[in-house]
Amino acid sequence: EIVLTQSPGTLSLSPGERATLSCRASESVFSYLAWYQQKPGQAPRLLIYGASNRATGVPDRFSGSGSGTDFTLTISRLEPEDFAVYYCQQFGSSPLYSFGQGTHLEIK
Amino acid sequence: QVQLVHSGTEVRKPGASVKVSCMASGNIFTGHYIHWLRQAPGQGLEWMGWINPNTVVTNYAQKFQGRVTMTTDRSLTTAYMELTGLRSDDTAVYYCARGAGYSSEHFDYWGQGTLVTVSS
């Protein structure tokens, strides 16, 4: 069973700073890796798919990279609305779809 | 604008069943799988399964096999997820989401979710 491990669990930064979030898979997921943003009381929002493709309407300060087992979501300059929980999600291995436990990005 | 609108909050006793609906604007389900996921309070996301609305083929996560049934209406605008044999640990927000990508690898549109509370 593939396990996705996100780090750090909590990231405390200030607006304007750069955020780097990590997602590590226990075995290769190739490029079948997506990132989602979730704010309290809301459904997740797709940010990145295929490891590095921005979803429609996602600002270009969000970027994704990586392949195989190591992936990164970078937010180049944090805006106040970016503080949320971020999840990575893999496709294709048992289980067919699974998520990391999330990184909570909080205002410092 | 793509919208997925869920049915309202449900409260059930242990052992009961619940059926949650998800209505789509327009024909956004056409050509896409419809997935159901859930999120227990304060927890992460868990995939439950998908339905291909065009073929009515389903694929359920092993954890839910035998307890979950996913269906759609004939107009392909509303999807349903029924979960039976409810337990307290089924308390969660249940989401429908549209699968995207060649093999439905990720989820591009989500409903707002339905809170299901299981309590005696």
Side-chain angles (χ1 to χ4, degrees), chain A residues 32 34 36 38 41-46 48-50 56 87 89-91 95-101, chain B residues 33 35 37 39 43-47 50 59 62 95 100 103-113:
Chain A
Y32 292 120
Y36 300 84
Q38 188 177 33
Q42 296 184 17
R45 171 196 179 196
L46 177 67
I48 301 288
Y49 64 94
T56 302
Y87 293 98
Q89 171 248 317
Q90 67 85 26
F91 161 78
L96 193 56
Y97 302 84
S98 62
F99 293 81
Q101 82 281 14
Chain B
Y33 291 4
H35 298 257
L37 306 96
Q39 186 171 36
Q43 302 300 310
L45 295 155
E46 182 174 34
W47 178 76
W50 57 247
N59 183 6
Q62 187 171 8
Y95 294 103
S103 300
S104 200
E105 307 94 62
H106 52 273
F107 315 112
D108 61 351
Y109 292 103
W110 296 64
Q112 87 278 15

Side-chain angles (χ1 to χ4, degrees), chain A residues 27-43:
Chain A
E27 55 190 269
S28 177
V29 297
F30 305 96
S31 292
Y32 292 120
L33 197 287
W35 290 93
Y36 300 84
Q37 176 193 68
Q38 188 177 33
K39 297 180 180 179
Q42 296 184 17

Side-chain angles (χ1 to χ4, degrees), chain B residues 14-32:
Chain B
S17 300
V18 69
K19 190 171 185 176
V20 176
S21 69
C22 165
M23 186 169 67
S25 58
N27 61 348
I28 63 165
F29 285 153
T30 302
H32 295 266

Side-chain angles (χ1 to χ4, degrees), chain B residues 66-104:
Chain B
R67 285 210 301 145
V68 70
T69 304
M70 297 176 188
T71 56
T72 59
D73 68 357
R74 297 184 69 173
S75 66
L76 304 186
T77 59
T78 303
Y80 302 91
M81 187 284 298
E82 182 174 25
L83 191 61
T84 62
L86 289 169
R87 307 183 288 257
S88 58
D89 63 357
D90 290 318
T91 293
V93 176
Y94 289 77
Y95 294 103
C96 68
R98 189 177 82 163
Y102 184 76
S103 300
S104 200

Side-chain angles (χ1 to χ4, degrees), chain A residues 44-91:
Chain A
R45 171 196 179 196
L46 177 67
L47 297 175
I48 301 288
Y49 64 94
S52 60
N53 301 290
R54 263 189 306 276
T56 302
V58 174
D60 60 8
R61 64 180 181 274
F62 291 90
S63 62
S65 62
S67 66
T69 60
D70 289 293
F71 300 87
T72 300
L73 174 70
T74 302
I75 311 172
S76 58
R77 285 181 55 85
L78 285 165
E79 298 287 343
E81 62 267 28
D82 299 336
F83 292 91
V85 179
Y86 291 83
Y87 293 98
C88 58
Q89 171 248 317
Q90 67 85 26
F91 161 78

